[in-house]
Amino acid sequence: MLQRFYLAMPTPPPGKRDEAQRLLSLERFGLLDTPPESEYDDIVRLAAESCGTPIALISLVDRDRQWFKANVGLPSVSETERAISFCTHAIEREGLFLIEDAMHDERFATNPLVRGEPHIRFYAGAPIQAEDGHRLGTLCVIDRRPRVLSESQRRGLLGLKRQVELQLRLRVQVREIQERNAQLEQAQERLRSLNDYLQAEMRERQRIERQMLEQQSLLTSILTHIPHSVFWKDRHSVFLGCNPQFARDMGVSSPLDVIGRTDLEMPTLPRDHIESYRQDDRQVMESGVPKLAYEEPIKDSGGQETWVLTSKVPLRDAEGAVKGVLGIYADITERRRERTALQEAKQLVERHAAHLEAQVHEAHTRTRQLMEYSGDAVFLLDEAGRVKELNAVAERLLGTSQAQRVGTAFELLAPEDEREPLRQALAELRVRGTVRLEEQGLCSATGGRVPFGIIASLQVAGVDRHLLVVCHDLTEKRRMEQQSLQNDRLAAMGALAAGIAHEINNPTAYVLSNLAFLREWRDGLERELSALGGLSPNLEQMLSEAREVISESLEGGQRIRDIVRDMRFFSHTADEAWAPVDIHACLDFVLRMAHHELKNTAEVERHYEDTLPYVLASEGRLSQVFLNLIINAIQAMRSEVPGRHVLRLRTTREGAWVRVDVSDTGHGIPPEVLPRIFDPFFTTKPAGSGSGLGLSISHSLIQKMGGEMRVRSEPGNGTTFSVLFPIGVRAGQEDGGR
């Protein structure tokens, strides 16, 4: 036969468990599907040359394939199926696996690799074995014709196989070294982090030690200068330390002379009370509960018995276990002498206390009545300044309920920029007992500011201390102040207008009369010259220009006369007398006043009812309201993108009412703002552009004249303010009863 087998005794096929371990071993080397490496390529070239074969491979047997790490003679092949591979048989045996002629071997005669490419006839494979004993693949040489290997070629092939195994071990060692280097770098990084942490800990420890030294120094200073005697003992009632005052009480010169002694060794302590002292020590240490402020006798350095007020507390270690007792006492001998006198005064104090209790009860009753029947907002706070109760007036003015505000710090009810003065006032109240704030804003539920004048007092009821805060609503007062200021301005403007009208009226009449005379004179001159036989072109042009100049002058003079008439009308706006008012005349007057603002902003459309009756009102105040509404409409339209805007004034009669609508085509009012536009001091204009009182005052004026003011608006489609007046009925009187 042509083939010969140089094999050890056959071994049974590996089980599934061994195969799984072999595949894990192969995977740990990380060789599969890696790029070519010169070390392995050199070995297969040397194997092919030494064995005289055209093909040499380093083959790794995977689960379902054999993959070639190095390849000579099969340049286009990187792997084959494991089921048909020669290497699968080679790794199942030890030693060299040799097939001298595959065509005459029943195991391989029909193999596709024998019948087809690469037409294997000769195969010699040396198993590549890992250190753990698993065979990973082979170093093999292949020829397309039968052949025999010499003994030296077999030894050379096995030697090269060992070089492959050496390369594998070196690869593992390199990977292990790299992993150890990475671990070392991580350890070094952890060491650096630990070093940084330790340095930070050392700095923190040094800081704590400095603090402890400072605290120890402070404690030593306190113990030295405190006017009380302080001592501390261990669990056996042996003194561990004391302050100088205690040492003096014990008749020794220094606290060091006390350390290590017991009560029995203290010369000044009464012997009949020592057991009581030690029993107190044991009680405190065993229970862990302090024993505070009890009286007991002691002898001073002169042997005189004195009484002291003693407190003892347990000393604990870092784990919280009781390790001793700390005591402090103060001389109360003089206090005991005074106790007799105090006993004599006890009955008087009790009677006084009963009287105070009655006063407290009466004060509590008055507080309750004040909260129930006061017309002002009343808050009852605890000593920390948190709301305990508030009356119905406070709920109504702030738009909130008691349940929503109880437990809230009172200062948080103020706008953020007004909280600090309120906080300082409450702190002053706790010291002085009473405080007053001329004006303090509080926030309503809708976010508005409500101005209050505040008077607060400290209420002491036994051990309870409460803060009673009475808040007077200043909204109407501020509105009246603004209204009075507006009235003063109107009066001043009226006086100015009256003076100007008086000064201008006569010269204006004189100028208009002369201009009318000049126009008649020019017309007469033109007729006379025409009768004389015609006019020259130059003279005719001059007369025509004179006619235009005189006409323009007359028109300007008449405009001045109208302005003077309006100013004389405005000069009577301060008159608060009620009288029948022509709504149309009032609206036309206001339009003339606003003409300069209107002409570049919007066109005016008047829709007046022909037979509109008069209303009983103050014409000046009515003009003020209409002017405010028109100016607001102009501002709403002016802020829009330039375009055609219209201001519409419509009057109509609705039953027993006269209705006036002022409509604009401006940006409109958002729905969330609409309910608040009549609130005092509320404005959507930028800071400095308005006080927020215009609509509030106008609304109030209309109401006091017996009317109503309504508004409807849609963002982007303009706003309409409607003013309604009763016809010919005097609904009320203005301020002052006029």
Side-chain angles (χ1 to χ4, degrees):
M1 295 184 64
L2 294 177
Q3 70 263 28
R4 288 182 298 170
F5 298 90
Y6 296 92
L7 304 171
M9 289 296 293
T11 59
K16 293 184 177 179
R17 180 186 178 102
D18 292 340
E19 176 63 9
Q21 294 297 323
R22 190 192 71 80
L23 291 174
L24 286 175
S25 179
L26 175 62
E27 184 178 349
R28 279 194 292 270
F29 281 94
L31 277 173
L32 290 173
D33 300 312
T34 57
E37 298 179 41
S38 59
E39 295 85 348
Y40 301 103
D41 293 341
D42 292 342
I43 291 174
V44 294
R45 280 195 295 270
L46 185 57
E49 291 173 0
S50 63
C51 294
T53 61
I55 301 172
L57 304 170
I58 294 178
S59 174
L60 300 176
V61 181
D62 199 359
R63 185 184 308 275
D64 298 314
R65 60 171 179 160
Q66 66 172 357
W67 179 79
F68 305 140
K69 173 61 182 173
N71 183 334
V72 170
L74 295 177
S76 60
V77 180
S78 62
E79 62 181 50
T80 64
E81 295 181 11
R82 176 177 176 175
I84 62 173
S85 69
F86 284 65
C87 291
T88 300
H89 295 268
I91 65 173
E92 293 176 354
R93 296 166 176 80
E94 295 181 358
L96 189 64
F97 181 67
L98 184 62
I99 304 297
E100 294 181 342
D101 189 350
M103 292 293 291
H104 293 85
D105 190 315
E106 61 182 7
R107 293 172 298 176
F108 303 105
T110 60
N111 191 300
L113 300 177
V114 175
R115 293 296 181 177
E117 285 295 333
H119 298 287
I120 298 175
R121 295 291 297 277
F122 170 79
Y123 174 87
I128 298 172
Q129 192 169 4
E131 288 184 320
D132 57 8
H134 292 105
R135 302 182 189 99
L136 310 179
T138 65
L139 170 63
C140 63
V141 292
I142 297 172
D143 202 342
R144 294 183 176 87
R145 61 185 179 83
R147 64 180 302 125
V148 176
L149 288 182
S150 68
E151 188 63 29
S152 63
Q153 287 174 327
R154 289 196 294 272
R155 286 196 301 271
L157 184 60
L158 291 173
L160 291 174
K161 182 268 295 189
R162 287 191 291 274
Q163 290 300 314
V164 175
E165 292 173 342
L166 177 61
Q167 288 296 327
L168 293 181
R169 287 195 294 274
L170 289 175
R171 185 183 190 92
V172 171
Q173 291 173 359
V174 168
R175 290 182 61 186
E176 290 176 350
I177 291 172
Q178 290 175 343
E179 291 175 356
R180 284 198 295 272
N181 288 339
Q183 292 173 355
L184 181 59
E185 290 178 359
Q186 293 176 357
Q188 290 176 343
E189 181 62 29
R190 288 195 296 270
L191 184 60
R192 285 193 293 270
S193 300
L194 179 60
N195 187 43
D196 294 341
Y197 173 77
L198 291 175
Q199 290 181 355
E201 284 293 310
M202 291 181 63
R203 290 194 294 271
E204 180 65 15
R205 182 183 181 89
Q206 292 171 354
R207 184 186 66 81
I208 293 174
E209 289 177 350
R210 288 195 299 271
Q211 288 184 346
M212 291 179 64
L213 289 174
E214 293 172 357
Q215 293 174 358
Q216 184 177 0
S217 176
L218 176 62
L219 180 59
T220 302
S221 177
I222 292 173
L223 291 175
T224 301
H225 299 95
I226 191 173
H228 303 307
S229 300
V230 183
F231 61 89
W232 50 99
K233 306 176 183 178
D234 63 14
R235 290 193 65 90
H236 304 290
S237 291
V238 176
F239 286 98
L240 299 174
C242 67
N243 70 341
Q245 180 63 44
F246 182 80
R248 288 192 291 271
D249 291 346
M250 296 299 102
V252 297
S253 59
S254 168
L256 296 176
D257 297 330
V258 175
I259 297 175
R261 296 187 181 187
T262 65
D263 295 318
L264 293 171
E265 300 173 273
M266 294 294 126
T268 62
L269 291 179
R271 291 296 183 267
D272 53 343
H273 289 289
I274 288 178
E275 183 56 32
S276 175
Y277 299 156
R278 296 168 70 87
Q279 185 177 354
D280 292 338
D281 294 345
R282 287 193 297 271
Q283 178 184 349
V284 170
M285 288 186 289
E286 291 173 1
S287 67
V289 178
K291 186 176 182 181
L292 306 176
Y294 62 94
E295 298 179 5
E296 59 183 359
I298 195 173
K299 287 184 180 180
D300 61 18
S301 58
Q304 295 293 324
E305 185 176 80
T306 60
W307 283 85
V308 295
L309 185 67
T310 303
S311 293
K312 292 183 179 180
V313 298
L315 279 179
R316 301 180 184 272
D317 58 20
E319 287 73 30
V322 177
K323 66 175 184 178
V325 64
L326 171 71
I328 181 171
Y329 63 82
D331 189 348
I332 59 168
T333 305
E334 186 63 29
R335 186 189 305 176
R336 284 175 64 89
R337 293 192 186 102
E338 295 172 353
R339 187 173 297 173
T340 302
L342 292 175
Q343 290 293 336
E344 294 175 357
K346 182 179 179 181
Q347 292 182 350
L348 178 62
V349 171
E350 289 176 349
R351 290 195 298 270
H352 182 63
H355 179 65
L356 286 178
E357 186 176 354
Q359 288 182 331
V360 167
H361 179 72
E362 183 181 352
H364 181 73
T365 302
R366 287 199 303 269
T367 300
R368 181 60 53 197
Q369 291 175 344
L370 175 64
M371 295 192 71
E372 291 181 1
Y373 302 113
S374 175
D376 293 325
V378 181
F379 297 85
L380 185 64
L381 316 179
D382 61 18
E383 189 174 5
R386 295 184 293 267
V387 177
K388 293 189 66 177
E389 297 181 45
L390 63 157
N391 66 353
V393 178
E395 293 181 351
R396 175 176 55 82
L397 291 177
L398 297 184
T400 186
S401 66
Q402 181 160 271
Q404 293 173 319
R405 294 302 183 188
V406 168
T408 303
F410 184 68
E411 63 193 49
L412 297 181
L413 301 183
E416 188 171 353
D417 58 345
E418 298 186 53
R419 290 177 184 172
E420 185 58 31
L422 182 57
R423 185 182 299 115
Q424 294 176 359
L426 292 178
E428 185 179 355
L429 172 61
R430 298 183 186 98
V431 177
R432 293 179 50 191
T434 181
V435 73
R436 176 189 294 270
L437 293 174
E438 295 299 327
E439 181 171 337
Q440 172 66 51
L442 298 181
C443 295
S444 68
T446 59
R449 178 185 182 274
V450 182
F452 289 101
I454 292 181
I455 299 176
S457 62
L458 178 64
Q459 305 288 311
V460 181
V463 296
D464 294 331
R465 290 160 58 91
H466 298 107
L467 310 179
L468 183 65
V469 182
V470 181
C471 304
H472 178 67
D473 186 9
L474 300 179
T475 302
E476 183 64 17
K477 180 180 178 182
R478 295 293 178 262
R479 190 192 65 77
M480 294 301 297
E481 289 175 352
Q482 291 293 330
Q483 185 172 324
S484 176
L485 179 62
Q486 183 71 5
N487 292 342
D488 293 343
R489 290 175 178 172
L490 288 173
M493 291 179 64
L496 177 63
I500 293 175
H502 178 75
E503 294 297 330
I504 295 177
N505 190 45
N506 289 337
T508 301
Y510 177 74
V511 170
L512 287 174
S513 176
N514 286 343
L515 286 172
F517 171 75
L518 282 175
R519 182 173 58 185
E520 293 176 359
W521 180 82
R522 191 212 68 81
D523 293 343
L525 177 62
E526 185 177 10
R527 288 192 299 271
E528 290 294 333
L529 292 175
S530 299
L532 293 177
L535 299 175
S536 66
N538 187 30
L539 183 57
E540 185 175 355
Q541 181 179 357
M542 292 175 61
L543 289 174
S544 176
E545 290 176 354
R547 182 190 302 111
E548 293 178 2
V549 169
I550 293 173
S551 296
E552 290 175 357
S553 299
L554 277 170
E555 183 179 350
Q558 290 169 355
R559 176 64 179 151
I560 294 173
R561 182 185 61 194
D562 292 341
I563 293 173
V564 170
R565 183 177 66 247
D566 290 344
M567 291 176 66
R568 292 180 65 188
F569 176 79
F570 186 78
S571 68
H572 294 87
T573 59
D575 184 4
E576 300 298 333
W578 292 68
V581 177
D582 183 351
I583 294 293
H584 294 164
C586 187
L587 289 171
D588 290 341
F589 164 68
V590 172
L591 286 173
R592 287 195 296 273
M593 293 187 66
H595 173 72
H596 180 73
E597 299 290 334
L598 270 170
K599 65 181 181 180
N600 295 322
T601 302
E603 297 179 5
V604 179
E605 292 183 2
R606 298 178 177 88
H607 303 279
Y608 293 170
E609 185 168 316
D610 294 336
T611 58
L612 194 69
Y614 282 28
V615 298
L616 192 61
S618 167
E619 188 170 9
R621 291 302 180 97
L622 205 54
S623 299
Q624 177 184 347
V625 171
F626 288 149
L627 182 60
N628 182 63
L629 295 179
I630 290 174
I631 292 300
N632 283 348
I634 293 172
Q635 292 174 347
M637 292 184 288
R638 185 172 294 165
S639 63
E640 293 296 300
V641 177
R644 182 180 181 275
H645 288 287
V646 178
L647 175 69
R648 294 184 180 88
L649 302 178
R650 183 184 302 275
T651 63
T652 185
R653 177 171 180 168
E654 294 183 355
W657 298 81
V658 168
R659 175 172 175 159
V660 180
D661 291 337
V662 180
S663 304
D664 64 64
T665 57
H667 51 66
I669 303 174
E672 64 273 13
V673 173
L674 202 59
R676 301 180 57 199
I677 60 172
F678 296 126
D679 290 351
F681 306 104
F682 176 78
T683 179
T684 59
K685 298 176 183 177
S689 300
S691 65
L693 285 170
L695 284 176
S696 175
I697 292 175
S698 298
H699 186 259
S700 178
L701 290 175
I702 295 302
Q703 286 183 329
K704 290 192 175 185
M705 286 187 282
E708 297 180 12
M709 182 179 288
R710 305 170 184 169
V711 61
R712 64 180 185 275
S713 181
E714 182 179 349
N717 292 324
T719 303
T720 297
F721 282 90
S722 299
V723 183
L724 291 89
F725 301 95
I727 298 174
V729 178
R730 182 167 182 151
Q733 290 185 335
E734 185 56 281
D735 301 338
R738 293 180 292 179

